[in-house]
């Protein structure tokens, strides 16, 4: 039977990957990756660290981590030392009961292990229940024309009002696994992750609706897909761009005019406002959207290690992130640099960075939460 270390190494070599590349992408030390392939469990501070690193390596290579865990535990059971009581011959009258007890414990433990780890019965039951629940909760969403982001599930319907005002055009979600598919009156449309697709849903040859896929699971269709919907006007410009261009930043806002419950962090102050620099570097994949002053929003998917953003703002920057821990944001005002703390891993935030004028007459660069 092939060992779990051989499976990891063979899969990595099959994909043409080097341990140094994987260490950079996963943030796992190179010596830990080598220890996983050589099955050196003692190189880790504890079994918890070993299991965590093993799971991360499996997910990176696209291997079933439950299968690898099963091989690891099977080897661990085989290498477990024989209980001292079984080796003692001074009290043979207890040997048979002891063997029977140990055997029963092993059989029970193995049964529990197979039930929960190898065959993962509870999770499969939960997944089946969740799938059934999602199938029963298929819903209809009426698209109002305003840009919105929603999570859709297979079978959900999107109702788009027709241009002639006579009823709605019905779009049906047909796939939320790996790729997003939607059935329109003009045929099936497929959208990949981080792809923006313009749809002609009424057959007039024009683009009516923009669909942007921001999140989807490769293994669990019941998790649904997160979709951003934008309507297009007759000139082909999205409503999001029109709304962004209409926002005015001709003047510096007075601090007292800001909403009272806004969470405010002061970065820099001076006697006058002047352009500041907005710098972003990416250490993990994420979707990032930002707007400088009164320009249109810029939104795209950034990969790990990809060149970041360096932009100058006259008055303000508004940004949206799908994973706070995936990036480092630095603001340069005057001769000072400020590292911006925006939240924890997996959190989604919208923030404003702008000049404001306080009651003391001074101008300050502040960070504000946006609801």
């Amino acid at each position: 039977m092939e060992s779990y270390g051989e499976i990891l190494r063979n899969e990595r070599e099959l994909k043409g990957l080097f341990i140094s590349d994987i260490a950079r992408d996963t943030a796992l030390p190179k010596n830990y990756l080598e220890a996983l392939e050589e099955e050196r469990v003692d190189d880790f501070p504890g079994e918890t660290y070993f299991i965590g690193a093993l799971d991360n390596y499996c997910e990176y290579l696209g291997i079933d981590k439950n299968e690898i865990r099963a091989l690891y535990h099977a080897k661990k059971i085989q290498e477990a030392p024989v209980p001292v009581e079984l080796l003692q011959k001074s009290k043979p009258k207890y040997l048979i009961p002891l063997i029977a007890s140990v055997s029963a414990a092993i059989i029970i433990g193995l049964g529990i292990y197979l039930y929960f780890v190898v065959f993962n019965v509870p999770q499969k039951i939960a997944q089946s229940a969740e799938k059934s629940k999602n199938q029963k909760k298929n819903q209809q969403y009426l698209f109002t024309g305003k840009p919105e982001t929603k999570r859709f599930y297979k079978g959900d319907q999107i109702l788009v009002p027709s241009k002639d005002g006579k009823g709605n055009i019905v779009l049906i979600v047909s796939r939320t696994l790996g790729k997003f598919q939607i059935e329109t009156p003009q045929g099936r449309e497929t959208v990949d992750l981080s792809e923006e697709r313009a749809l002609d849903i009424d057959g007039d040859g024009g683009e009516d609706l923009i669909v942007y896929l921001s999140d989807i699971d490769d293994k669990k269709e019941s998790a649904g897909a997160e979709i951003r919907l934008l309507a297009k006007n007759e000139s082909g410009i999205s409503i999001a761009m029109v709304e962004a261009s209409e926002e005015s930043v001709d003047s510096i806002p007075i601090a007292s005019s800001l909403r009272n419950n806004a969470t405010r962090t002061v970065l820099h102050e001076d006697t006058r406002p002047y352009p500041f620099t907005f710098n972003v570097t990416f250490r993990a994949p994420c979707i990032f959207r930002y707007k400088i002053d009164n320009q249109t929003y810029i939104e795209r998917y950034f990969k790990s290690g990809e060149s970041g953003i360096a932009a100058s703002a006259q008055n303000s920057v508004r940004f949206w992130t799908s994973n706070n821990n995936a990036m480092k944001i630095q603001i340069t005002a005057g001769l000072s640099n400020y590292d911006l703390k925006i939240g924890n891993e997996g959190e989604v935030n919208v923030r404003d960075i702008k000049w404001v004028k306080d009651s003391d007459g001074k101008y300050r660069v502040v960070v504000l939460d946006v609801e």
Side-chain angles (χ1 to χ4, degrees):
M1 181 176 64
E2 192 175 20
S3 68
Y4 65 89
E6 292 174 342
I7 293 176
L8 295 174
R9 183 173 58 254
N10 291 339
E11 187 65 20
R12 173 178 60 80
E13 293 174 352
L14 181 63
K15 294 180 182 295
L17 299 172
F18 296 94
I19 286 182
S20 58
D21 296 331
I22 300 174
R24 184 187 65 248
D25 293 341
T26 63
L28 290 172
K30 182 179 178 182
N31 61 313
Y32 278 10
L33 295 173
E34 293 173 344
L36 290 172
E37 291 188 355
E38 296 172 10
E39 303 181 5
R40 301 196 310 269
V41 181
D42 293 337
D43 286 9
F44 292 81
E47 187 178 35
T48 302
Y49 291 90
F50 174 82
I51 294 297
L54 187 64
D55 287 351
N56 288 341
Y57 200 6
C58 289
E59 291 175 357
Y60 182 88
L61 295 176
I63 301 175
D64 186 354
K65 65 181 181 182
N66 290 328
E67 179 183 354
I68 299 301
R69 277 194 183 189
L71 292 174
Y72 159 69
H73 285 291
K75 180 178 180 181
K76 181 179 178 182
I77 291 175
Q78 292 175 357
E79 295 177 351
V82 178
V84 177
E85 292 82 0
L86 296 180
L87 302 177
Q88 295 178 345
K89 299 182 179 180
S90 57
K91 298 179 180 180
K93 62 180 180 179
Y94 299 113
L95 187 58
I96 294 178
L98 182 60
I99 293 176
S101 300
V102 172
S103 299
I106 292 176
I107 292 173
I108 294 173
L110 183 60
I112 294 174
Y113 171 74
L114 292 173
Y115 183 84
F116 286 99
V117 179
V118 177
F119 298 107
N120 208 359
V121 175
Q123 182 177 352
K124 290 181 179 179
I125 293 175
Q127 289 176 348
S128 177
E130 182 181 3
K131 182 177 180 180
S132 176
K133 179 181 177 182
N134 287 332
Q135 288 175 344
K136 294 178 181 178
K137 72 173 186 178
N138 291 338
Q139 297 184 20
Q140 289 185 333
Y141 297 90
L142 179 62
F143 180 57
T144 62
K146 295 183 179 180
E148 56 183 318
T149 301
K150 286 185 176 291
R151 182 163 290 276
F152 292 98
Y153 301 89
K154 184 176 180 180
D156 283 350
Q157 296 181 359
I158 304 172
L159 307 181
V160 182
S162 60
K163 295 177 182 177
D164 58 10
K166 298 179 180 179
N168 300 313
I169 299 174
V170 180
L171 311 179
I172 302 175
V173 177
S174 58
R175 177 175 176 175
T176 58
L177 180 64
K179 297 176 182 291
F180 179 76
Q181 288 185 344
I182 188 168
E183 308 293 334
T184 78
Q186 309 308 316
R188 175 179 297 171
E189 296 285 351
T190 302
V191 186
D192 292 320
L193 181 63
S194 301
E195 180 187 4
E196 181 180 284
R197 178 67 60 88
L199 309 182
D200 173 16
I201 61 175
D202 58 9
D204 63 357
E207 296 176 346
D208 308 305
L209 189 68
I210 298 175
V211 176
Y212 177 77
L213 177 58
S214 57
D215 180 66
I216 196 167
D217 199 292
D218 289 331
K219 299 179 180 179
K220 189 177 179 183
E221 187 169 37
S222 60
E226 186 177 77
I227 298 297
R228 181 166 176 79
L229 298 174
L230 304 172
K232 271 203 168 184
N233 60 21
E234 294 180 357
S235 64
I237 302 175
S238 70
I239 287 179
M241 294 182 179
V242 174
E243 290 179 344
S245 64
E246 290 176 348
E247 295 184 17
S248 174
V249 290
D250 293 335
S251 61
I252 303 298
I254 304 300
S256 60
S257 67
L258 301 174
R259 54 189 174 86
N260 295 330
N261 61 345
T263 301
R264 163 177 146 159
T265 302
V266 177
L267 295 181
H268 184 77
E269 69 175 41
D270 211 321
T271 57
R272 61 181 180 84
Y274 43 77
F276 60 87
T277 304
F278 178 65
N279 298 283
V280 187
T281 55
F282 296 90
R283 52 176 172 253
C286 78
I287 299 171
F288 191 78
R289 182 189 309 133
Y290 68 99
K291 180 180 69 171
I292 304 294
D293 295 327
N294 63 344
Q295 302 173 21
T296 59
Y297 277 102
I298 299 175
E299 180 181 284
R300 56 168 292 200
Y301 178 78
F302 289 88
K303 299 179 181 178
S304 177
E306 187 173 354
S307 299
I309 300 166
S312 178
Q314 183 69 35
N315 290 329
S316 67
V317 175
R318 172 169 290 186
F319 68 90
W320 173 94
T321 171
S322 65
N323 183 356
N324 289 335
N325 198 44
M327 70 209 64
K328 176 183 178 182
I329 298 180
Q330 187 178 74
I331 305 300
T332 301
L335 300 177
S336 302
N337 296 323
Y338 304 93
D339 291 328
L340 190 61
K341 296 180 180 179
I342 58 175
N344 300 318
E345 180 178 3
E347 289 183 349
V348 177
N349 273 320
V350 183
R351 300 281 179 88
D352 277 342
I353 306 170
K354 61 172 64 177
W355 281 103
V356 299
K357 185 177 180 181
D358 280 324
S359 57
D360 59 4
K362 288 189 176 181
Y363 293 88
R364 293 179 172 86
V365 178
V366 300
V367 182
L368 299 170
D369 288 336
V370 178
E371 292 183 348

